[in-house]
Amino acid sequence: MQHYSAFSLARHALSHHKNWQSAWRKADPKPRYDAVIIGGGGHGLSTAYYLAKNHGMKRVAVLERGWIGGGNTGRNTTAVRSNYFYPESVALYDLSLRLYEGLSKELNYNIMLSQRGMLIAAHTPIQMEICNRIANAMQLNGVDGRLMTAAEAEEKAPLVNKSKGARYKCMGGIWQDRAGTARHDAVAWGYARAASAMGIDIIENCEVTEVFTSSGAVAGVETTRGKIQTERLGVAAAGATPGLVQMVGGDLPIHNYDLQAFVSEPVKPCLDTVLLYLGTGTYVSQSDKGELVIGGGLDRVPTHGQKGNLPTQETVISGLLEMFPAFAQLKLLRQWAGVVDVVPDSSPVIGPVGPEGMFVNCGWGTGGFKAIPAGGYLLAHLLATGEHHDISRPFDLNRFAQGRLIDEAAGSGIAH
């Protein structure tokens, strides 16, 4: 093991990365792979890792048209949780949370998981009834979750608006102990480093322009860096997935919207949980640097852009100030958007599509980051075996034809 003195660490820190060792190999494409994954975000990188780790498949390429983690993986509010309503959703998201809980040790890379808990706060008797129903469902599904009183909620978030004139006075809500946050870019980098160390080729600035088929099966892809042959193709490209599926004559029921987020200037620790207000749709947590990370509802204008706008800012920030009037004097440092891929029942699509050998992992909507480990784990199983894992089977595309919808937006009463 190499050791560094304080002086050498300072010298490397001031070297503008010149002496830093690369965390993963900058690979060039080979003519052929056993499997190709389109999308170098968290889901694509985790798929490659689990293909190598769980199934021994190492002749695998991850193709990213930009840089890894440059899409939704780097443009989210970092929450991880499994407080969902339907058994199928709980199984999926709790698999992800369990994988997150051991991920820093498994990857030997600190993803900065902080299980500080999450409160979904209610403001009306009807919302409390919804929270009661979800808490019961979580317990029946074997996931930690309980109903919280108003006094308990106010103890978790002491600065919350308790004034008599509060428009959305907290009446209590749902609490999940194991929920929290993780560092988004660390998740991508950790998976990339581990996958690369096992021989996976991570190829950036490589856009897929065509998908080839032969006798009804995948044969390869044409890219901006040449043709690549493969018989197994995984697509984990979020909002770009429908366009890639259209290359083989397929169609996905996906609409793309912006989900905008904001970061404030740093302040001293004042919020040690993740808090979502049902009344406003605004949610907030505080980062390790002291910044408030703030999000809200979807901007329901179809788009592939990644820009914020003032009307959404006004809606989200006004919701924040209803929650915490004390934050009114804070300055915003950044505003951005991620392009979320939304399907009619607000649940993901995981499974085969189009020609034999082609599988998708998409439609996560606002839940993509929290699902990265499970999404990769399940897509890797599909690519390696050609068959569904029991957890992914309910999320097959055929559920729309069969009427087996898993409508979490309706079941949970929230859009996130």
Side-chain angles (χ1 to χ4, degrees), residues 22-50:
S22 296
W24 59 87
R25 293 176 296 105
K26 301 291 185 179
D28 292 319
K30 297 182 177 67
R32 183 177 182 82
Y33 291 94
D34 292 335
V36 167
I37 301 158
I38 304 175
H43 284 268
L45 293 165
S46 63
T47 301
Y49 170 76
Y50 291 118

Side-chain angles (χ1 to χ4, degrees), residues 125-376:
I126 292 175
Q127 289 177 359
M128 279 300 294
E129 175 60 30
I130 292 173
C131 289
N132 194 13
R133 184 175 67 158
I134 297 171
N136 287 338
M138 290 173 65
Q139 292 174 13
L140 288 170
N141 291 324
V143 175
D144 61 306
R146 66 181 179 89
L147 206 62
M148 185 171 273
T149 66
E152 290 175 306
E154 290 172 359
E155 186 177 351
K156 289 291 184 183
L159 292 179
V160 75
N161 191 351
K162 297 184 283 289
S163 67
K164 290 183 179 179
R167 184 177 181 184
Y168 299 102
K169 194 173 178 89
C170 179
M171 297 181 66
I174 310 164
W175 174 258
Q176 184 180 26
D177 279 300
R178 292 166 54 237
T181 61
R183 177 75 187 187
H184 45 28
D185 46 11
V187 172
W189 298 341
Y191 273 124
R193 188 178 77 160
S196 178
M198 289 189 287
I200 305 295
D201 283 353
I202 299 171
I203 306 166
E204 297 174 285
N205 299 307
C206 183
E207 183 175 2
V208 173
T209 58
E210 189 174 353
V211 177
F212 293 108
T213 62
S214 176
S215 302
V218 167
V221 293
E222 183 69 52
T223 78
T224 52
R225 298 184 62 178
K227 185 175 181 178
I228 301 172
Q229 293 180 317
T230 187
E231 295 175 355
R232 305 182 211 192
L233 182 63
V235 183
T241 304
L244 291 162
V245 172
Q246 287 173 3
M247 293 179 182
V248 293
D251 189 27
L252 292 173
I254 286 177
H255 296 281
N256 295 313
Y257 304 103
D258 270 351
L259 182 64
Q260 298 181 38
F262 313 82
V263 169
S264 78
E265 62 181 316
V267 292
K268 291 182 178 180
C270 59
L271 182 65
D272 63 354
T273 187
V274 182
L275 178 62
L276 166 67
Y277 255 39
L278 284 175
T280 65
T282 298
Y283 50 97
V284 60
S285 63
Q286 189 170 21
S287 75
D288 294 332
K289 293 190 293 184
E291 301 166 335
L292 296 179
V293 183
I294 311 152
L298 292 174
D299 181 0
R300 290 284 183 176
V301 177
T303 181
H304 280 272
Q306 294 178 318
K307 298 180 180 179
N309 59 57
L310 290 176
T312 298
Q313 180 186 98
E314 182 179 14
T315 299
V316 174
I317 298 304
S318 64
L320 175 71
L321 299 186
E322 287 283 353
M323 299 159 67
F324 296 102
F327 294 163
Q329 301 304 313
L330 291 179
K331 295 181 175 64
L332 288 181
L333 295 186
R334 298 186 297 282
Q335 176 180 2
W336 71 92
V339 179
V340 295
D341 42 328
V342 179
V343 299
D345 65 350
S346 300
S347 288
V349 175
I350 310 171
V353 63
E356 182 181 349
M358 185 172 182
F359 304 91
V360 296
N361 163 6
C362 61
W364 291 99
T366 61
F369 177 73
K370 68 177 70 71
I372 281 174

